[in-house]
Amino acid sequence: HVQLVESGGASVQVGGSLRLSCVASGDTIGRYCMGWFRQIPDQEREGVAGIENDGSTSYADSVKGRFTISQDSAKDILYLQMHSLKPEDTAMYYCAAVPLGTLCRWENFSIWGQGTQVTVS
C-alpha cells in the first residue's frame, strides 16, 4: 500500500491561509481515491475534502468555498489549500487514501498519514 506523510501544518491567524501537502510513496496516488480528514481531541475524525482519480472533488459543507483539494499525479503529492481560516478549523489534519475499486466514501478510507496540526487563533 501507499505510505502517506503530511506537512504544512502551522499556527495561523483568523482569516489566514495555509497549504497542506501529503507526499505519497510506495505506490502512485493514481491508484487511489485521496482525501483530507481532520480530528479534534475527543471527537470523531471528519472528512474534509476528497478527490477521485478522474479529478472530481467533494467537500464538507463547513469548508466549501474556502478549501481546495488538488493533486499532482506526476509527483504523487496531494494538497489542501485553505483560505479564510476560522478557529473552528483548528484540528489535526490527516491525509488518507482508499484503493480504487472500493467506493470513495468517507467511511471507506483505510490508509492514513501521521497528521499535521493546524491551529487558528
Side-chain angles (χ1 to χ4, degrees):
H1 282 309
V2 68
Q3 291 86 50
L4 306 171
V5 178
E6 305 93 332
S7 62
S11 295
V12 297
Q13 293 184 337
V14 173
S17 298
L18 205 58
R19 188 178 78 163
L20 306 182
S21 299
C22 171
V23 176
S25 61
D27 203 350
T28 175
I29 61 175
R31 298 178 185 272
Y32 300 84
C33 174
M34 302 295 297
W36 288 97
F37 289 68
R38 64 187 181 187
Q39 187 171 25
I40 301 169
D42 298 327
Q43 293 191 18
E44 290 190 3
R45 197 171 294 185
E46 65 168 346
V48 173
I51 184 167
E52 302 194 39
N53 67 334
D54 64 359
S56 58
T57 58
S58 58
Y59 297 92
D61 288 343
S62 59
V63 306
K64 282 180 180 176
R66 299 189 299 121
F67 290 11
T68 302
I69 187 171
S70 63
Q71 60 188 11
D72 184 333
S73 297
K75 297 181 179 179
D76 286 324
I77 302 176
L78 181 73
Y79 300 103
L80 184 68
Q81 180 68 56
M82 304 183 292
H83 295 295
S84 302
L85 283 163
K86 306 175 181 180
E88 50 264 44
D89 295 318
T90 296
M92 184 72 78
Y93 283 73
Y94 296 90
C95 175
V98 56
L100 294 182
T102 302
L103 288 177
C104 189
R105 295 179 177 171
W106 298 133
E107 63 267 25
N108 289 339
F109 281 82
S110 56
I111 302 166
W112 301 90
Q114 84 290 346
T116 187
Q117 179 67 38
V118 173
T119 303
V120 185
S121 60

